[in-house]
Amino acid sequence: MAAEKAEMDALKKECDGLRTQIEAARKAVNDGNMTSAAGSATEVGRVQLKLRKSLKGHLAKIYSMHWSSDSRSMISASQDGKLLVWDTHTGNKLVAVPLKSAWVMSVAFAPSGNLVASGGLDNMCTVSNIKAASPKTLRELDAHTGYLSCCRFLSDTEILTASGDTTCCLWDLETGKQKIIFTNHIGDCMSLALSKDENTFVSGACDSLAKLWDLREGTCKQTFSGHTSDINAIQFFPNGNAFVTGSDDCSCKMYDLRSDQEVITYQDGSLNAGVTSVSLSNSGRLIFAGYDDFNCHIWDSLKGEKVGVLSGHDNRVSCTGVPADGMGVCTGSWDSFLKLWN
Amino acid sequence: MTINTMAKGGWHRDQMSCFRKMEKVIVAMQDPDMGMKMRNQRLLITIIPHAMTGRDIIDWLMKKSNICEEESLHISGLLVRYGYIYPLKEPRSLVLRPDESPYRFQTPYFWTSTRWPASELDYAIYLAKKNIRKQGELMEYEKERYSVLHKRINHTWDFVVMQAREQLRASKQRRKADRIVLECQEQAYWLINRPPPGARNVLDMGLERPNNTARVTLNSEHYKNEIDTCKRALGRNRVKSSICLEGFMKYSEQYQNHDPIMQGCLPSNPWISDDSAHWTMNLETVPTPTRLRVERWSFSFMELLNDEMGRREFMTYLEKEFSGENLAFWQACEDIKHGESSKIVEKVEEIYRNFLAPGAPRWVNIDSKTMDKTLSGIRHPHRFVMEDAQMHIYFLIKKDSYPRYLKSDLYKNMLAKGIVPQETKKSVFPFMRRQRHSSPSPAQVATQATEEGGNAKGAGQAGTNSAAGSNV
């Protein structure tokens, strides 16, 4: 026993030593800070987005939403056991996908628009074809041992999932089998974001860490710390060189992949509600963060200031999303409504 | 939620902050000088003191906080839904009616934040009281819950009944008006904390996220993996912060005109004007692309490649230079990477035949090392067998052909021809307040204000009716 313990201690020590070296290497390249670099950027001023549409149709809390790549349709998932595909322009419901399990936590649209995926407490990711006459279940990806917190399509043949069993997984939809399992987190994985070139992705977990992964090799390339509680949401900055996280510690942070470290924290003394979701405007200048205090607050990503708020929901804002063409932002809430703003 | 977010006593921090804000408003409303004017309300034959109408509440909020009616309705609706104000008529309908319907403030004893979580014992006593007071007064769902509780806390049932009787006896000694008030308050409290089936449960905290740090055993295996990961992470290339930050600035600036939320969009934002012209103009394939779109092709090579029209234009240019096979090769490799597994073998063969074999019709120029590696890889084709060759060609095109394309007449003409849509015409009411596609910043607002009547640059105007917030 003593020998085992000694071995463990030695390993732990080596780990800590390496981590200290990483921190030192990061410090070495840290020759500037965001707020001063952003000094030259023009002020954004007060951002006032108006409510343009309120989409009613769900009968229970909305947990997740995802825009289609055509920037016009959008899918939302609610605990009433349905996925609804909306035409956001007319406000019409295009497709209703009934779910076997009502405890859904995440939904995704494939870039082609043909497939949608959903999952939650059933530990499965169900992929359906919505272009058929009536929605047909294509695959039930069943291998996670924990709830499904997030899923994202790479194409009609591959999908990435994040789970409460602390792993992320890349699946082959043609065979329905796992291709690669990404293990390294020590807490439930809560969300993931795919890079535009689909070579890497980032994940946020309840161990308060964000990790960068190589999609092809299945390895963790880097770990980013700084948050003091669960990371609930994660999104890439549009130029692909950074990502933004939202956490239960009531703050959002931006991490830069090239300089390999945190560059700025978005937090405010008056905001003491956890962040549930983040999304960015097309230029990356504005961050829309949904909070537990029923609002979605808008941050200037470069200057680190709060520049606006979207209020109108009667309960927690559980998901936000900006479509690919950047026309506006959609917020979904536990009050069962989706609202479109710009 | 992890343990961190739960304050001592198990209260969830997120809802608490909302309650505190609501309580501030409630206290202000009851201020003797500046608060609401209350009056007596007749309820059947009893007179209830200190009541106010829904209309009063709305008006007070509008005046005090200088907000519009819609917002006032929303806030007061929240106050009712969370139990800080309760309706006297139709107590089960927790909505705020902006008319003569009477409402009262909930006593702080019964505030949601004060007595949370509501205890089973208290609920049992409440139901017992109702049952004793008037047989058959319990609703169906209350009867069910009553029997469930009876089974569950059977051991303290004597206490429950005794307490219920005691409380009923004490209340009989009160004046009728007070008694009714207390009953209303208690009922309101329980409607929030034990909502009837089908009613929204505002105190619901959502799916339990089992906090299982025990999922991953921190043994030596784990640490060995950690060490490998750390070693890999340590070896990463790092770029100076200043350069990276500069990159973010530049990107935001470059894309600002292309960000409809920051800068509006022409001819109009379809969500505001209900005119989908913008979308029609920006479909995958259009006869003439917009100028902004063509401009984006010059921002980065990926922008050009990701746009189908851009790729087609670029191909036309390359064909002129007799180097179209490079782009065709790249596209074919992409097709393998993202396509169906069953077709991989035949696609790889096709690529070999067309691009790589000696004397191939569209032979691509790859360095010998990469060529050898690719050719041997082809014998066991898989999704990424063309990766190296594809990378090589990609960088070749990016460094050589792409910059020349941007300087070419072909591109310049495309840019010049690019459509700059006219803003949608203003609506018939010239005196209507100016609508913008989006209203991002005072910087824009300031320029708009000084250019009264003129067209603000970039921030186009959707001139259709102002009832744009259409509810579906």
Side-chain angles (χ1 to χ4, degrees), chain B residues 114-128:
Chain B
T114 327
R115 294 159 61 78
W116 196 94
S119 80
E120 279 201 320
L121 198 59
D122 286 339
Y123 193 42
I125 295 173
Y126 168 68
L127 289 176

Side-chain angles (χ1 to χ4, degrees), chain A residues 44 48 61 174 230 283 314, chain B residues 2 74 204 259 341 439 441:
Chain A
V44 166
Q48 281 169 318
K61 300 196 180 90
E174 295 177 283
D230 309 0
S283 60
D314 293 343
Chain B
T2 54
H74 183 232
D204 192 351
D259 183 344
S341 309
S439 37
S441 55

Side-chain angles (χ1 to χ4, degrees), chain A residues 62-83:
Chain A
I62 292 177
Y63 261 83
S64 176
M65 56 86 43
H66 195 212
W67 282 96
S68 160
S69 44
D70 68 8
S71 298
R72 205 170 142 157
S73 347
M74 182 253 289
I75 189 167
S76 57
S78 158
Q79 300 235 307
D80 61 6
K82 286 223 166 44
L83 300 179

Side-chain angles (χ1 to χ4, degrees), chain B residues 370-381 385:
Chain B
T370 316
M371 180 66 97
D372 288 341
K373 190 166 171 215
T374 311
L375 289 179
S376 63
I378 287 183
R379 281 194 233 123
H380 309 282
V385 70

Side-chain angles (χ1 to χ4, degrees), chain A residues 69, chain B residues 279-287 289 293 297 306-312:
Chain A
S69 44
Chain B
W279 281 328
T280 325
M281 276 184 214
N282 280 293
L283 289 170
E284 277 278 330
T285 5
V286 281
R293 182 175 176 179
W297 298 347
N306 282 334
D307 184 341
E308 205 187 297
M309 278 206 75
R311 233 183 306 158
R312 275 215 318 259

Side-chain angles (χ1 to χ4, degrees), chain B residues 444-455:
Chain B
Q444 305 252 335
V445 172
T447 37
Q448 293 247 326
T450 54
E451 295 184 34
E452 214 67 313
N455 289 334

Side-chain angles (χ1 to χ4, degrees), chain A residues 202-241:
Chain A
V202 285
S203 64
C206 289
D207 54 12
S208 72
L209 303 171
K211 289 185 188 279
L212 173 70
W213 308 83
D214 184 321
L215 254 174
R216 293 262 304 284
E217 299 183 10
T219 52
C220 168
K221 284 171 55 156
Q222 188 50 284
T223 301
F224 300 89
S225 58
H227 277 298
T228 53
S229 186
D230 309 0
I231 294 180
N232 294 322
I234 197 164
Q235 278 291 335
F236 267 101
F237 190 86
N239 75 352
N241 289 335

